[in-house]
């Protein structure tokens, strides 16, 4: 699957339509540059997330109103999916990523200027739109960098995003302890982001498409294999959403953990997910994507089963750790497989898969709440565990995954 795309003077064969070729810089420097773009986006997003409570308090928003306003961010991401794929396919991931990332940081700063409730959804819509441009172009860039590198490295890129999220949360905690305002906090993060872009953008992989390539359309019917990949990603993202939003509640109400240990569930899940992403590339190279996806689905189900059947502090923590390992490499592998589709440009294929997957991230947490209201949170998590089984079954029947 992995090929080396040579410099123009070294080429002796036609470059595929989806291919992107690299520059004179070394593979390790390219890998570092792409990793830093992932890390920077994680820092930006976590910086916003870490100050939601302050923003809610400053604007005197109720829980219900804040919940409604927060939908503006994923809405901005969803409505931009097709356009992001087309723009990236037309102009190349390097150009779009270099253009979109500064605007993502600028959108973060704009949130600090919000002084009325109606202004927040506008700022979040802008944040979501710029974030999606970054997401599609960055994952497309990562597929190109992986092909240039010649072995699986997509999982470690996503691990860099997780590290960025962790760092962003720490920066937010520091800023709050220093009693820094939103503008000070966000402008510092933006300045660091712009600095890193100015240093690292030239090391990104440069796109090279043949002149005869057809212009990608904004709306096209996705091939069935991409729909199936999207459903697999949907199951993984629904699991991630459930773990992010409900793990604390599960440990408080079902596990009945002491107050100081309620965070243990999410912390253990997040730690093993990040750890798994940095180890995942070697495992993928040794065992192949199909087997890794099958095993990942089983691990998710086993982890959820342990947490549901044995809802005690130690056993539930072990279960959540297994779920973190299970989901760690699924999305990176799915993006890598989609990005190498032979008939659809990488960015368009990734946008198609992301559009389906993101509904899982949105629908997972509400689904947990609805089922919990009707029965129990334990049954909600049991259902999420079934998603792991579905992943394994779908992957086993999908011949496109090797």
């Amino acid at each position: 699957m992995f090929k080396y795309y040579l410099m123009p003077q070294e080429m002796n064969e036609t470059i595929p339509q989806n291919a992107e070729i690299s520059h004179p810089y070394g593979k390790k420097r390219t890998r570092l540059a792409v990793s830093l773009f992932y890390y920077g986006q994680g820092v930006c997003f976590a910086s916003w997330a870490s100050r939601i409570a302050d923003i809610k308090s400053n604007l005197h928003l109720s829980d219900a109103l804040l919940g409604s306003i927060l939908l503006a961010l994923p809405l901005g991401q969803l409505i931009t999916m097709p356009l992001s794929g087309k723009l990236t396919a037309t102009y190349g991931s390097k150009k779009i990523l270099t253009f979109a990332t500064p605007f993502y940081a600028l959108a973060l700063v704009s949130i600090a200027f919000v002084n009325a409730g109606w202004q927040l959804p506008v700022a979040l819509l802008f944040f979501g739109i710029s974030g999606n441009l970054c997401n599609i172009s960055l994952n497309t860039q990562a597929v190109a960098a992986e092909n240039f590198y010649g072995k699986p490295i997509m999982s470690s890129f996503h691990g860099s995003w997780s590290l960025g999220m962790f760092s962003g949360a720490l920066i937010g905690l520091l800023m709050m302890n220093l009693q820094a305002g939103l503008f000070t906090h966000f402008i510092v993060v933006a300045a660091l982001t712009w600095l890193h872009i100015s240093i690292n953008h030239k090391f990104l992989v440069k796109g090279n498409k043949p002149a005869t390539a057809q212009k990608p359309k904004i709306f096209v019917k996705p091939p069935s294999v991409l729909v199936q990949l999207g459903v697999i990603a949907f199951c993984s993202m629904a699991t991630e959403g459930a773990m992010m939003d409900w793990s604390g509640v599960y440990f408080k109400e079902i596990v009945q953990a002491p107050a100081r240990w309620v965070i243990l569930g999410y912390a253990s899940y997040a730690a093993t997910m990040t750890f798994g992403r940095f180890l995942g590339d070697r495992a993928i190279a040794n065992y192949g994507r199909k087997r890794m996806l099958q095993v990942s689905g089983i691990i998710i189900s086993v982890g959820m089963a342990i947490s549901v059947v044995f809802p005690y502090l130690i056993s539930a923590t072990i279960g959540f750790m297994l779920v973190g390992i299970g989901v760690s490499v699924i999305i990176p592998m799915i993006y890598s497989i989609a990005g190498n589709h032979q008939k659809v440009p990488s960015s368009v294929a990734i946008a198609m898969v992301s559009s389906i997957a993101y509904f899982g991230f949105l629908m997972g947490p509400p689904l947990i709440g609805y089922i919990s209201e009707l029965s129990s949170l334990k049954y909600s998590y049991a259902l999420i565990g079934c998603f792991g089984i579905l992943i394994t079954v779908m992957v086993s029947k999908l011949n496109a995954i090797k």
Side-chain angles (χ1 to χ4, degrees):
M1 178 175 290
F2 295 97
K3 301 178 181 179
Y4 292 90
Y5 296 121
L6 306 177
M7 294 301 294
Q9 63 269 25
E10 299 172 310
M11 291 190 296
N12 55 16
E13 59 183 353
T14 303
I15 297 296
Q17 180 176 343
N18 286 6
E20 294 194 58
I21 62 171
S22 190
H23 40 65
Y25 302 107
K27 295 178 183 179
K28 290 185 178 180
R29 189 61 184 87
T30 296
R31 182 178 185 176
L32 176 61
V34 178
S35 296
L36 287 172
F37 270 87
Y38 272 96
Y39 179 85
Q41 288 189 27
V43 170
C44 282
F45 187 84
S47 297
W48 137 253
S50 68
R51 302 304 292 262
I52 292 177
D54 289 338
I55 294 171
K56 177 180 182 292
S57 177
N58 293 342
L59 299 178
H60 308 289
L61 302 174
S62 66
D63 290 347
L65 182 56
L66 176 63
S68 299
I69 290 174
L70 290 178
L71 289 174
L73 198 158
L75 178 62
Q77 293 177 321
L78 282 172
I79 63 176
T80 321
M81 286 282 185
L83 181 61
S84 298
K86 174 180 170 58
L87 289 175
T88 303
T90 302
Y91 298 103
S93 59
K94 179 178 180 179
K95 287 184 179 180
I96 297 300
L97 183 58
T98 305
F99 170 82
T101 306
F103 277 91
Y104 189 47
L106 185 64
L108 174 66
V109 175
S110 72
I111 297 173
F113 290 97
V114 170
N115 53 32
W118 67 268
Q119 296 173 356
L120 184 57
V122 177
L124 290 181
L125 190 69
F126 180 34
F127 194 51
I129 290 171
S130 57
N132 184 254
L133 281 169
C134 290
N135 178 51
I136 298 302
S137 58
L138 181 54
N139 279 292
T140 304
Q141 173 69 202
V143 170
E146 187 176 54
N147 284 329
F148 171 59
Y149 209 79
K151 65 179 183 179
I153 55 174
M154 178 69 83
S155 183
S156 65
F157 287 149
H158 285 253
S160 297
W161 185 87
S162 298
L163 279 183
M165 285 283 290
F166 180 72
S167 300
L170 290 181
I171 293 172
L173 181 62
L174 174 63
M175 290 293 179
M176 285 185 283
N177 285 329
L178 294 175
Q179 297 184 338
L182 290 176
F183 178 77
T184 301
H185 179 181
F186 292 167
I187 199 66
V188 168
V189 172
L192 292 174
T193 300
W194 293 330
L195 177 62
H196 120 71
I197 295 168
S198 66
I199 295 172
N200 292 294
H201 76 93
K202 64 181 179 181
F203 298 106
L204 297 175
V205 182
K206 183 178 181 181
N208 184 42
K209 300 179 291 299
T212 57
Q214 295 181 350
K215 286 188 176 182
K217 299 178 181 179
I218 294 182
F219 296 103
V220 293
K221 182 180 179 181
S224 61
V225 64
L226 293 181
V227 174
Q228 294 175 73
L229 290 173
V231 174
I232 294 170
F234 173 97
C235 294
S236 180
M237 292 286 278
T239 303
E240 290 186 40
M243 295 301 289
M244 288 179 66
D245 290 5
W246 286 94
S247 57
V249 179
Y250 191 86
F251 261 60
K252 181 179 180 180
E253 297 183 0
I254 303 300
V255 178
Q256 296 184 343
R260 66 182 182 277
W261 294 112
V262 166
I263 191 62
L264 183 61
Y266 178 74
S268 60
Y269 157 78
T272 54
M273 182 180 70
T274 303
F275 187 68
R277 283 179 168 173
F278 283 107
L279 293 182
D281 290 325
R282 179 171 294 183
I284 293 167
N286 289 335
Y287 301 108
R289 289 194 174 93
K290 187 161 192 169
R291 185 176 297 178
M292 284 296 295
L293 284 168
Q294 290 170 327
V295 172
S296 294
I298 293 171
I299 292 175
I300 290 172
S301 297
V302 170
M304 284 295 190
I306 291 174
S307 303
V308 171
V309 178
F310 304 103
Y312 312 109
L313 185 63
I314 295 177
S315 55
T317 300
I318 293 172
F320 276 36
M321 291 173 69
L322 289 174
V323 175
I325 293 172
V327 301
S328 63
V329 294
I330 293 177
I331 293 300
M333 283 192 287
I334 293 298
Y335 281 174
S336 183
I337 296 166
N340 283 286
H341 194 280
Q342 295 301 308
K343 296 182 180 180
V344 181
S346 294
S347 59
V348 177
I350 291 172
M352 289 175 176
V353 171
S354 296
S355 298
I356 301 171
Y358 209 77
F359 277 108
F361 197 71
L362 293 177
M363 293 174 59
L367 182 63
I368 291 287
Y370 297 146
I371 296 175
S372 178
E373 186 73 21
L374 293 173
S375 54
S376 167
L377 193 55
K378 289 177 64 175
Y379 293 109
S380 300
Y381 266 49
L383 176 63
I384 294 297
C386 294
F387 285 165
I389 298 174
L390 182 59
I391 290 172
T392 300
V393 171
M394 289 192 66
V395 169
S396 300
K397 295 183 177 181
L398 195 55
N399 295 325
I401 302 177
K402 303 299 181 183

